[in-house]
């Protein structure tokens, strides 16, 4: 599975971005999909995830109510809608495919990151 994330950019605090991740090489519907982020000097952390069926989603506490993860298996795509962005959301964001667990070490496939920078 090859994953390609896009949609990052520079935005002011309070603004919004929508990240997209498109898969090729295998059907995305086989995998749970997660979004992770890594800020300079920090460990990579789970942000949001959606089960392969799309029926269950999970969020980091710090982004609940602001970020929404979704997927379209017909388009082999997963999305992260980010509203009310804060400077502390600044990081390199990655999409990843795996099964059952959301810790970075359990994910099987990773895309290259897309940079999100939130100015104050």
């Amino acid at each position: 599975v090859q994953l390609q994330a896009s949609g990052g950019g520079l935005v002011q605090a309070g603004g919004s971005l929508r990240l997209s991740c498109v898969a090729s090489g295998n059907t995305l519907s086989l995998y749970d999909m997660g979004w992770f982020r890594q800020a300079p000097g920090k460990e990579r952390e789970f942000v949001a995830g959606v089960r392969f069926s799309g029926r269950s989603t999970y969020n980091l506490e710090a982004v609940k109510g602001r970020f929404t993860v979704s997927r379209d298996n017909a388009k082999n795509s997963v999305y992260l809608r980010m509203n009310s962005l804060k400077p502390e959301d600044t990081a390199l964001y990655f999409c990843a495919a795996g099964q059952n667990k959301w810790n970075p070490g359990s994910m099987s496939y990773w895309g290259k990151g897309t940079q999100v920078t939130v100015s104050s």
Side-chain angles (χ1 to χ4, degrees):
V1 178
Q2 292 82 45
L3 303 173
Q4 179 65 53
S6 61
L10 173 63
V11 64
Q12 288 188 332
S16 298
L17 285 172
R18 185 189 189 226
L19 304 184
S20 299
C21 177
V22 179
S24 60
N26 205 346
T27 177
L28 206 59
S29 63
L30 297 175
Y31 299 96
D32 299 330
M33 293 299 300
W35 286 97
F36 297 76
R37 66 187 181 187
Q38 188 166 18
K42 295 188 177 181
E43 293 186 352
R44 191 170 298 188
E45 64 175 354
F46 169 76
V47 176
V50 56
R51 293 296 185 197
F52 67 93
S53 65
R55 286 198 286 264
S56 297
T57 61
Y58 306 83
N59 291 86
L60 178 71
E61 189 66 33
V63 307
K64 282 183 178 178
R66 301 189 297 122
F67 291 11
T68 303
V69 60
S70 61
R71 68 190 298 161
D72 186 338
N73 286 340
K75 294 182 178 179
N76 252 10
S77 296
V78 63
Y79 309 99
L80 184 67
R81 177 67 180 180
M82 305 185 294
N83 296 328
S84 302
L85 282 161
K86 303 176 181 180
E88 52 263 43
D89 294 319
T90 296
L92 191 59
Y93 282 71
F94 301 85
C95 61
Q99 291 175 321
N100 298 324
K101 297 182 180 180
W102 296 120
N103 55 297
S106 296
M107 305 306 284
S108 300
Y109 303 98
W110 290 87
K112 293 183 179 179
T114 184
Q115 179 67 38
V116 172
T117 303
V118 184
S119 63
S120 57

